[in-house]
Amino acid sequence: MNAARLTDAETKMQFLYALRSKGVTEARVLNAMEVIDRGPFITGLFAERAYEDMPLPIACGQTISQPSVVGLMTQALEVSPRDKVLEIGTGSGYQAAILSKLARRVYTIDRHRRLVREARTIFEKLDLGNITAITADGSHGLSEQAPFDRIIVTAAAEDPPGPLLAQLKEGGIMVLPVGQSDAVQHLIRVRKTADGPQYDELRAVRFVPLLEGLGKDT
Ligand code: SAH
């Protein structure tokens, strides 16, 4: 037996400590990230690294984001319990699961049918009944459920997609990475006010690109 191996409780403490030290300080967000175990969202070779603060590969050539980035984006979104939230980029479903603990309703869209199917299975297992996962090109948003209180995009576009901004409520907040996929991207927060959108730049990030159309596995 490896004496240096941490117990589950120690691993969890270290995970939460890493989040706090990187600026995830809001109790509600930390609590949701304590409740939602990242383990089930990662399968195969990388499963044992689920509690490290790093992005990891998932199916369809995509990645599950770094936990501290998930935390900072969630915090920046200022979600309240009555909110209806739209996420573009379901991926593993981890971000959507955390949002489901903070919001009333979560709609999450991915262009890969397989990722949506696998995420749905996890949501059912965890009894997260307030998430609807949909296969579609999310850059058009989800007009039948609009407007949204909050929108989060977890793939990078060169500019904030117009339909998403249009589907955001006045007073609403959208958080998204913008920039070219192989260059430096910036995490942006958009507040939609009566006088138009107000932007603030949060930090440099690196996300997979927001692509058009459906993924090839469909
Ligand atoms: N939020 C995810 C990580 C997302 S990775 C998590 O918690 O694991 C980015 C995801 O965006 C990928 O799964 C990719 O398929 C998806 N994506 C890229 N372009 C898209 C588009 N136009 N519409 C919907 N999903 C898109």
Side-chain angles (χ1 to χ4, degrees):
M1 212 172 98
N2 180 354
R5 179 152 281 170
L6 300 177
T7 64
D8 288 355
E10 285 166 340
T11 304
K12 193 124 222 180
M13 268 179 61
Q14 215 170 57
F15 179 77
L16 292 168
Y17 178 79
L19 292 176
R20 276 195 214 96
S21 68
K22 293 192 177 157
V24 184
T25 51
E26 267 181 37
R28 282 184 78 232
V29 175
L30 284 168
N31 186 47
M33 294 186 78
E34 187 172 358
V35 170
I36 299 293
D37 185 349
R38 194 172 181 240
F41 297 90
I42 300 161
T43 51
L45 274 179
F46 292 96
E48 63 185 35
R49 309 189 71 168
Y51 306 101
E52 293 177 26
D53 190 29
M54 54 190 305
L56 294 170
I58 56 171
C60 303
Q62 305 303 314
T63 50
I64 178 171
S65 311
Q66 186 176 348
S68 56
V69 172
V70 171
L72 290 170
M73 287 178 82
T74 308
Q75 204 163 270
L77 206 57
E78 299 176 11
V79 184
S80 76
R82 298 170 58 98
D83 285 348
K84 180 162 74 167
V85 182
L86 174 65
E87 180 195 26
I88 311 301
T90 312
S92 66
Y94 179 60
Q95 172 78 73
I98 290 163
L99 290 169
S100 82
K101 291 291 176 195
L102 298 168
R104 177 171 56 86
R105 197 96 196 61
V106 178
Y107 293 89
T108 181
I109 304 180
D110 204 286
R111 59 191 289 277
H112 285 286
R113 197 176 298 279
R114 174 177 168 191
L115 293 176
V116 168
R117 194 176 56 230
E118 291 177 357
R120 270 191 201 131
T121 306
I122 304 176
F123 300 152
E124 272 162 35
K125 264 198 204 129
L126 299 180
D127 214 11
L128 304 176
N130 62 342
I131 310 177
T132 304
I134 299 160
T135 307
D137 178 349
S139 48
H140 306 299
L142 189 63
S143 54
E144 60 270 36
Q145 294 297 340
F148 296 94
D149 301 288
R150 301 286 184 265
I151 299 179
I152 179 169
V153 187
T154 61
E158 283 187 33
D159 294 299
L164 297 184
L165 199 53
Q167 290 175 26
L168 186 63
K169 261 187 206 165
E170 194 175 304
I173 297 176
M174 172 157 76
V175 173
L176 76 168
V178 293
Q180 278 157 0
S181 61
D182 48 359
V184 176
Q185 305 158 358
H186 287 98
L187 197 60
I188 304 284
R189 173 167 48 195
V190 188
R191 288 179 195 274
K192 189 168 172 178
T193 72
D195 303 328
Q198 287 177 354
Y199 296 89
D200 69 287
E201 201 174 291
L202 304 175
R203 53 166 282 173
V205 283
R206 198 180 183 100
F207 276 84
V208 299
L210 189 75
L211 298 174
E212 277 179 27
L214 292 187
K216 280 217 180 72
D217 66 308
T218 56

